Amino acid sequence: MKINWFPGHMTKALRELKAEVKNVDAIIYVLDARAPLASLNPELDKLAENRPVLFILNKIDLADKGKIDKLLQDEVLKKKYSNSSVIKLNATASGALKIVLAELTTLCASKIIRFKQKGLNSYIRAMVVGIPNSGKSTLVNNLCGRAKALTGNKAGVTRGKQWLTVGNGFQILDTPGTLYPNLENQSVAKKLAYIGSINDEILDKNELACDFISDIRKVYPNALANRYKIDESGEPYEVLEKIAFSRKFLLKGGEPDYDRASIALFDDFRKGKLGEITL
């Protein structure tokens, strides 16, 4: 199965982002901490050039803290831009506003000082970008203190740009999640599919579940065994069958319901029920 998903609204969204970026002082680049490097979109990388960039490793509560700390220690993200910083965050937790605005204040210090010297109040405008389902709109709602942006645990919820005022002297622009026009790296594409950044409806759920089983056993052995109380050895489709029997997902005649088992597997992973995982 070759994975590629770039619906028409993403083409429009990228065009609008490119037009809007000249009006912003900084970029808030939201990454999914369960697949941080796969969350880097080359098209968004280009947008962020010549702007201060605040990377937010979101959904940190679901991620492998050891792997994320190693990523930060190696400064993989910070090295991408001359003026950038990285923070770990759970966009649903309290206190996000204070953390994000403090980082933006540091990143945009030169503008703030320049305006102060002229006796003017500065207004910092930041664009929030990221792949679908990375938690951008959840973060925006947290920063605003109330629900202003549509959210959902699936790809493609935000469809239009929204300028919103947060804190004192800050505005943020919520934008639709966008992927690459061509997902040539299928390893990256699979990780994006696993975390829900690609529309589940266009995918063969059973084949993707078997790929996930194969991949997860390599990096987190026993995650499946612990969750479903099964022996996770064997071919991936055999493990999927064991999950179906373990959860009593059966068709008439007692045959395993692979579809329900696949849906449950990804639901468990995305809700952190397989443990703290970073791919």
Side-chain angles (χ1 to χ4, degrees):
M1 173 179 61
K2 180 172 173 57
I3 300 172
N4 204 28
W5 184 57
F6 196 75
H9 74 269
M10 287 191 188
T11 303
K12 179 184 176 183
L14 273 177
R15 189 165 58 244
E16 290 180 348
L17 294 184
K18 290 174 182 176
E20 194 71 47
V21 71
K22 64 180 181 292
N23 299 318
V24 305
D25 302 298
I27 303 291
I28 299 175
Y29 200 151
V30 182
L31 307 177
D32 191 317
R34 297 170 301 174
L37 298 184
S39 299
L40 289 167
N41 180 344
E43 293 296 320
L44 298 180
D45 290 351
K46 296 173 189 174
L47 281 177
E49 290 176 352
N50 305 316
R51 292 284 187 283
V53 177
L54 172 58
F55 286 107
I56 293 182
L57 289 164
N58 192 28
K59 304 187 182 182
I60 191 63
D61 53 312
L62 303 175
D64 184 329
K65 311 300 188 298
K67 284 189 176 181
I68 294 301
D69 287 344
K70 179 68 164 57
L71 183 71
L72 296 178
Q73 181 182 343
D74 293 343
E75 296 191 335
V76 174
L77 297 174
K78 281 203 70 174
K79 290 176 181 176
K80 289 181 67 66
Y81 304 103
S82 58
N83 185 16
S84 66
S85 63
V86 188
I87 58 175
K88 299 180 288 186
L89 202 67
N90 172 5
T92 64
S94 61
L97 177 64
K98 183 177 180 180
I99 297 169
V100 171
L101 295 191
E103 290 292 331
L104 286 177
T105 299
T106 300
L107 287 171
C108 299
S110 60
K111 176 181 178 177
I112 295 171
I113 293 170
R114 189 167 65 250
F115 272 59
K116 273 188 176 180
Q117 289 173 342
K118 295 178 181 179
L120 302 172
N121 293 323
S122 61
Y123 220 100
I124 302 302
R125 307 184 92 201
M127 178 189 289
V128 184
V129 302
I131 60 172
N133 199 36
S134 59
K136 300 183 315 306
S137 294
T138 299
L139 173 67
V140 168
N141 287 337
N142 195 337
L143 297 181
C144 292
R146 55 192 179 278
K148 287 195 174 184
L150 294 174
T151 64
N153 190 25
K154 62 180 181 179
V157 173
T158 305
R159 289 301 182 90
K161 60 185 183 181
Q162 306 175 65
W163 273 111
L164 303 166
T165 299
V166 298
N168 183 22
F170 292 87
Q171 279 190 332
I172 56 174
L173 176 63
D174 187 28
T175 64
T178 51
L179 289 172
Y180 333 166
N182 186 11
L183 284 165
E184 294 180 354
N185 187 325
Q186 286 298 290
S187 176
V188 167
K190 285 195 296 182
K191 290 177 182 178
L192 295 175
Y194 298 159
I195 63 176
S197 294
I198 294 175
N199 190 340
D200 289 327
E201 295 174 5
I202 71 159
L203 302 168
D204 183 324
K205 62 177 72 70
N206 296 339
E207 185 176 345
L208 188 68
C210 287
D211 287 341
F212 178 76
I213 289 168
S214 179
D215 288 343
I216 204 70
R217 289 189 304 187
K218 295 173 186 173
V219 286
Y220 294 95
N222 300 318
L224 300 175
N226 293 336
R227 172 62 181 165
Y228 302 109
K229 310 306 178 190
I230 61 172
D231 174 5
E232 63 179 39
S233 63
E235 294 298 321
Y237 77 89
E238 294 175 324
V239 177
L240 187 60
E241 183 176 280
K242 293 175 186 177
I243 292 172
F245 281 121
S246 172
R247 296 292 297 272
K248 294 181 171 54
F249 294 148
L250 305 176
L251 301 169
K252 287 183 180 179
E255 292 297 312
D257 188 334
Y258 293 103
D259 286 352
R260 288 184 68 194
S262 297
I263 292 169
L265 174 62
F266 285 117
D267 189 56
D268 284 347
F269 165 61
R270 292 169 187 173
K271 290 179 177 177
K273 293 181 179 178
L274 298 184
E276 296 179 344
I277 291 172
T278 293
L279 301 170

